[in-house]
Amino acid sequence: MSNTVPPSGERTDKWQRALDATIRTLRTSKFWSELFIMTAAVFMCAVAIHFFLYPSGIITGSATGVAIVFNRLMPGITTGNFILIINVLLLIVAFIILGPEFGAKTVYTSIILGPFVDFLADVAPIDGSLFATDIAGTMYSDLWSDALWFVLIIGIAQAILFSVNASTGGLDIVGKIITKYTHMPIGTSVAIVGILSCFTALLTSSLGNVLMGILVTWINGLIIDYFMSKMSTKIRVMIVVDDPTKTKDYILHTINRGVTIHEVYGGYTGKKKYQLETELDQKDFTKLRQYLSTTTENTFVTADPVSDVYGIWREKPHLKQLEEEAEVESTVTIPNSRRIKPE
């Protein structure tokens, strides 16, 4: 059986469409805002590694922790280079299993993490713990202070990256894969993989340091899950109005979210009203509150947190697609004539 090679014209069109899609992506504010967010989050990781992880000597369950072990075994290669090597291997897996968006974003974060770590080592070298104290001429490190600041900063950074479908690479990729197939919280997955990898530190560190690393890795997973839950929390808003038209249009076309309308009756007056229900993030809820504060309509609003929302909520373009489909379904086809909307 012979393979059919597409004509050169089709191949050219395919590459042109891919180029056009890339250019459109580069022109969106979402791309540049996420690029800034990822860069800032990775720099936070580098700060946590350089100022708190290195001085403490703790081997955490991460690609960085494994890289530190390899660096101590082979000091001729920098820790940053070991981080890069480990990430490249796992990135291939990320592209295959987790998709091109996650893979591409993680490629970027993985590439800049190692250089950020080495950059801080050059511009802000440190000889020991920032929390070291001098007792009778001997410097004593505060291991717990280093460990707690490390897991706090890097946990927040990892949660930020996961929220934009990215990661620092390395073992976070393995954790993401576990979450994809088991649906367990991402922090839990990362902690499980990290704890297993902590045992590699037995090659260069004491059992006490390894046990400390396991504890730090577990706390790191808890911090990731905590901040992920905070960032994924949505707000269910209930609005009772006499006429829902203006508020409904604002939610649909300005905020670009879905809305459900119920007929309700006042328990005291018995009058018929309308209750609008919508799920928003904090940014959209702020917009809605500002709008409602300027409207002359008599409204009654309640809001409560929702742990997560599934379905088409996450993709705003789907709402426009549904509107277009409804537009098509509302037309009438007349033979030998154009499609027209019913009056």
Side-chain angles (χ1 to χ4, degrees):
M1 182 174 63
S2 61
N3 293 326
T4 302
V5 179
S8 59
E10 292 184 11
R11 293 198 300 271
T12 302
D13 291 342
K14 181 179 179 180
W15 283 108
Q16 185 61 46
R17 288 194 298 270
L19 178 61
D20 292 342
T22 302
I23 293 174
R24 286 196 299 271
T25 301
L26 292 174
R27 289 176 176 173
T28 61
S29 59
K30 179 176 181 289
F31 170 83
W32 292 106
S33 63
E34 288 188 349
L35 184 69
F36 174 78
I37 290 170
M38 290 188 293
T39 303
V42 172
F43 188 76
M44 288 175 62
C45 291
V47 168
I49 292 167
H50 176 68
F51 289 106
F52 304 109
L53 180 61
Y54 283 173
S56 69
I58 298 172
I59 303 299
T60 61
S62 63
T64 301
V66 176
I68 291 173
V69 172
F70 288 150
N71 173 254
R72 291 176 180 175
L73 294 174
M74 294 174 281
I77 302 176
T78 67
T79 301
N81 285 334
F82 271 123
I83 293 173
L84 189 60
I85 293 169
I86 294 171
N87 282 333
V88 167
L89 296 176
L90 287 172
L91 280 170
I92 298 173
V93 179
F95 269 100
I96 296 172
I97 298 179
L98 299 174
E101 179 186 351
F102 179 85
K105 288 179 176 178
T106 305
V107 164
Y108 171 72
T109 57
S110 301
I111 288 174
I112 65 174
L113 177 57
F116 271 165
V117 172
D118 291 339
F119 169 76
L120 289 174
D122 291 335
V123 300
I126 56 176
D127 297 327
S129 171
L130 297 178
F131 303 99
T133 55
D134 188 347
I135 302 178
T138 302
M139 298 298 294
Y140 291 91
S141 299
D142 187 344
L143 187 63
W144 271 109
S145 294
D146 284 324
L148 291 176
W149 275 104
F150 167 73
V151 294
L152 177 62
I153 295 173
I154 205 164
I156 295 173
Q158 287 174 294
I160 292 171
L161 289 170
F162 284 130
S163 70
V164 295
N165 196 28
S167 75
T168 56
L171 300 184
D172 287 355
I173 294 173
V174 182
K176 183 79 171 178
I177 293 172
I178 293 175
T179 294
K180 177 179 179 180
Y181 291 106
T182 65
H183 305 292
M184 69 172 59
I186 184 64
T188 304
S189 300
V190 170
I192 291 173
V193 176
I195 289 172
L196 293 175
S197 69
C198 276
F199 291 103
T200 62
L202 289 172
L203 297 173
T204 59
S205 301
S206 65
L207 178 61
N209 272 352
V210 173
L211 293 176
M212 183 70 174
I214 291 173
L215 181 59
V216 167
T217 302
W218 175 64
I219 296 173
N220 179 53
L222 294 178
I223 291 174
I224 293 173
D225 282 340
Y226 173 79
F227 283 100
M228 285 293 292
S229 67
K230 289 297 182 182
M231 287 187 285
S232 65
T233 298
K234 303 299 180 291
I235 302 171
R236 179 190 289 117
V237 185
M238 300 288 195
I239 309 167
V240 178
V241 293
D242 294 325
D243 182 358
T245 306
K246 293 182 179 179
T247 305
K248 178 200 69 174
D249 289 343
Y250 183 83
I251 295 172
L252 288 175
H253 304 299
T254 302
I255 299 180
N256 199 12
R257 291 296 183 195
V259 60
T260 302
I261 303 176
H262 308 276
E263 289 186 1
V264 296
Y265 292 86
Y268 179 75
T269 63
K271 291 183 179 180
K272 175 180 167 182
K273 294 179 180 290
Y274 296 90
Q275 178 178 269
L276 287 75
E277 176 183 353
T278 184
E279 278 70 41
L280 307 174
D281 57 24
Q282 186 60 55
K283 179 180 178 181
D284 290 338
F285 181 53
T286 301
K287 291 181 182 178
L288 180 61
R289 289 179 61 184
Q290 291 173 346
Y291 165 78
L292 293 175
S293 67
T294 61
T295 184
T296 58
E297 295 185 50
N298 186 21
T299 61
F300 177 77
V301 183
T302 60
D304 56 279
V306 177
S307 62
D308 207 346
V309 179
Y310 299 92
I312 65 172
W313 186 92
R314 295 183 180 279
E315 300 295 335
K316 286 190 176 184
H318 283 334
L319 293 176
K320 294 182 179 180
Q321 179 182 347
L322 291 176
E323 289 179 359
E324 292 172 358
E325 291 175 355
E327 184 86 1
V328 172
E329 290 177 359
S330 66
T331 60
V332 178
T333 303
I334 301 178
N336 302 321
S337 182
R338 62 184 178 87
R339 287 183 130 189
I340 61 173
K341 292 183 182 179
E343 297 294 336

